[in-house]
Amino acid sequence: MAGVTAAATSGEGAITDALKSQAVQEQIEQLYRNDEVMREFQMRPFTGGSTINVKMHYAGNTSVSTYSEGDAIGQAGAQSYITAQWPEAHYKCVVQITGHARDFTKDGSNSAVFYDQAGQEIQRGMVDIVHQISLDMLSTGTTAPVGLQGIVDSTGTLAGLSKSTYTWWASYETAGSSTTITVADLNSGLASAADPPYAARISAFWTSWKQKGKHANVIGNAGAANSPIQIQVGNGTPSINMPSTTDISYHGGVPIKPKSNLTNSIWLGLTESDFFIGVSRDITVALLGKTDDSDKYLITCGYGLGCMAPRRSFKLTTYTD
Amino acid sequence: MFDDQLLSHGSAQARRRAVASVINARLHAGTFNYTELMTQPEPLLSDGMEILDGVMVENNIPKYQMGPVETWDGQGIVLVHIHPQGHILGDVVVKERVPGTNQFRSVKRRRDFGNAAVISDVPGERIARAMLYRSGWPIMQARTNGAAMGSVIEWRWLEREAASPDAAEEVVKLYAEIITRKGFLELGVYAPADQSKIKTPGERRAGASP
C-alpha cells in the first residue's frame, strides 16, 4: 500500500515519528509513600539546643497537711520537677542533575520535555523524606528518631527519663487476653488507662488495617453468622443476620484510626493532644557548591516525635491473628 | 517505710538524702521491699527509685549510674499470685527471628511465670518492679483507692507484714494459705519452721504493745 500508512514502520510513509506515543504528559504515582503521621500532631519549634526540654511536674507541695491550733507551721515545701529532653533526627536527600541533562531538557521547558524531571526529583525527594519520618514515628524507637511505640510503653528510657525509675512516665501496657482482639480487651485498656496514676483521656485508637478488620469481625458483620442481631425464621434455620448497631469506626466513643505501617500486633490508645512533633528544621532545599558541571541539591529537615505525658496513652500487644 | 517527717524537709536535696538513708538502711538490714515503697506518695516514690537505680538529679536532669545500682545480687524478687490457681503474667523482651530471614528483632512477649516465681529485677529490665507496679497487691488497691485490685504479691513484704502485730486479717490469711502451696514451697524461699512467725489474731493482739 502506498502513501502514508499505519503499517509502515519506517520511511517517508510511516507515522512513527509523528506519534506522541513515547509517554503521556503526566506521571502516575505507583510508589507507596506513608504520610499518615505528621499531619496528626501539633508542631513545636525547637527553642535552641539539640533537644526540646520540657519540665515535668510530678509531685506537689509536701508541706500540705492539717494542723491544730497552736501547731508550729513547719518547713515550706515545694513542687517537684524533672526535665524530659526530647531529641530530634535530621533527615537528608541528595539530588543531582548534570549540566548536560539540564541543557538537553531545557531546564524542564514544555517544548523539550513532558515533565520537569529535575523539579520532580526534588519534589519526590521531599515525599521520600516524609515517608521515612512517618515510618520512624510509627516505630519502637526510644532514642532519636523516637517512635510512637517507644513512647507508649511500660519500660525503657525515654527523653532521658527511665520509666522504671520514674513510674509516672510509664504507659499502661498489657498483652491481649488472646491472640485476637476482643471487646473486653479494649474496654479493659480504656478503664485501666483512665484510672490513677495513668489518668488517660483517650481520643483515638491507632492500629493496623488488619486489626481494624478483626475488630469488625468481633463486633459482627451483617449477613454473617457472627452478626450480633439475628432474627430467627421458622425454627431458627435459616436466620436473618442484621447489621451491627455499633458503628465499628468507634469503640467506646473513641474513633479507631487504622494506620498503614503500624505494627500489626498492637492496639494503641492515644491521648493525641499530648503528642507533638518537634521541628528543629523545616524541609529546606539548598543548592550545594559546584565541584563540576552538575547542580547538586541537598534536601534536609529535622523532626522529632515527643509526648507530654506518655502515661496518658496505652498499648495492647500480642495480637497475632 | 518512711516517716512523714521525710516530707517536711525544706529542700529536695535534703529530702533525697533522707530517703537514701532510710532505703540504704533497709537494704543493709535485708528488710527493704518494693511494696512499701510503691505505696508511698510522690515525690518519695521517685526519690526511692532514684536511690535503687543509682540516679543523681542535677538541675532537674537525671544522671544515671552515678551511684550504686541495686541488683539484688542477681537473686531476683519472689512474687506469688494471690489466688492458688492464678498465674503471674509478665512482659519480657525476647529476640525473635523475622520469619524467612536471618534478621532478628527485639519484641516484648507475655510470659507465664506460674503461680509463684523468682522474677528477675536486673537494672535495665526491672521485670519484677514493672509487674508489681502494674498489678501488685496491695499496691493497686492503695493507688486506686480500691477501684482496682492487684493480683501479684511480693513475698518479702507479705512475710514481714504478716508477722507485724498490725497486720490486716486478709494478709495473715493469705500468708497462711500461700505457705501451703506446693509450687511456692518448691521455690525454697520458705522453711516450714518459719510458720512459728505467724500469730493468730489473738496472739497478735496480746503481743502488741499497749
Side-chain angles (χ1 to χ4, degrees), chain A residues 55 58-59 62 75-76 80-83 85 153-155 160-162 164-168 173-175 196-197, chain B residues 7-8 10 15-16 42-43 45-46 49-50 53 55 57 60-62 64 108 110 126 129 133-134 143-144:
Chain A
K55 269 198 168 187
Y58 69 95
T62 52
Q75 293 241 34
S80 296
Y81 302 92
I82 284 279
T83 304
Q85 299 173 293
D153 200 293
S154 59
T155 57
L161 303 181
S162 163
S164 293
T165 307
Y166 302 103
T167 50
W168 44 265
E173 178 185 5
T174 189
Chain B
L7 289 171
S8 65
R15 190 191 66 238
R16 283 190 175 107
E42 293 289 4
L45 172 56
S46 290
M49 294 301 186
E50 286 170 357
D53 292 343
V55 176
V57 178
N60 285 333
I61 294 175
Y64 295 85
K108 206 178 274 184
R110 173 103 336 163
R126 298 290 193 200
R129 183 190 294 182
Y133 184 72
R134 191 180 58 199
R143 187 191 302 151
T144 64

